[in-house]
Amino acid sequence: MSLRLIGTIVSVGSFLFCCVILLFNPYTNTSVETDVFTSFTIMYLLPMLLTCYSSLSLKPLLLMIGSIWALPLSLYCLATPGVFKYLVIGPLLLVSISFIMFKNKRTS
């Protein structure tokens, strides 16, 4: 599989996983509060859209920026119990993919 495809799958998968746990929170029966949704949108969903674009267009710098942008919130969620801790997987994989893309560009 190419790095482009792997990065796109990770970005879209992380985006969809975050949307699902925000809209269908398994721990409450109420809808998510507006400020929580806004902060997740700015700190996680927008970077995942950026990483999806940068994976498709093979721009490792944008991929690195997007994954580092999403990393603080995902590290915060890593300390929480439950399914929210799995949000850290996407940004960590995207950072490693961007390093591999940088390495491949330098050797080419």
Side-chain angles (χ1 to χ4, degrees):
M1 292 180 92
S2 71
L3 290 175
R4 178 184 292 182
L5 182 61
I6 295 170
T8 305
I9 289 171
V10 170
S11 299
V12 171
S14 297
F15 182 85
L16 292 176
F17 179 67
C18 186
C19 287
V20 166
I21 64 173
L22 278 178
L23 297 176
F24 306 107
N25 189 340
Y27 304 109
T28 63
N29 292 331
T30 61
S31 61
V32 69
E33 296 176 12
T34 307
D35 58 339
V36 172
F37 190 76
T38 303
S39 64
F40 265 87
T41 301
I42 293 170
M43 293 299 295
Y44 198 84
L45 296 177
L46 286 177
M48 287 301 117
L49 289 176
L50 177 66
T51 56
C52 183
Y53 164 75
S54 59
S55 293
L56 287 172
S57 59
L58 289 175
K59 297 185 185 221
L61 183 61
L62 284 178
L63 186 62
M64 178 74 71
I65 290 170
S67 56
I68 290 174
W69 182 3
L71 204 54
L73 180 68
S74 59
L75 287 174
Y76 173 76
C77 290
L78 181 63
T80 62
V83 296
F84 292 100
K85 64 183 170 190
Y86 298 115
L87 285 174
V88 76
I89 295 171
L92 289 178
L93 285 173
L94 291 168
V95 165
S96 61
I97 290 171
S98 66
F99 280 133
I100 295 170
M101 281 185 182
F102 275 125
K103 183 181 173 189
N104 287 347
K105 274 193 169 186
R106 264 196 276 151
T107 57
S108 300

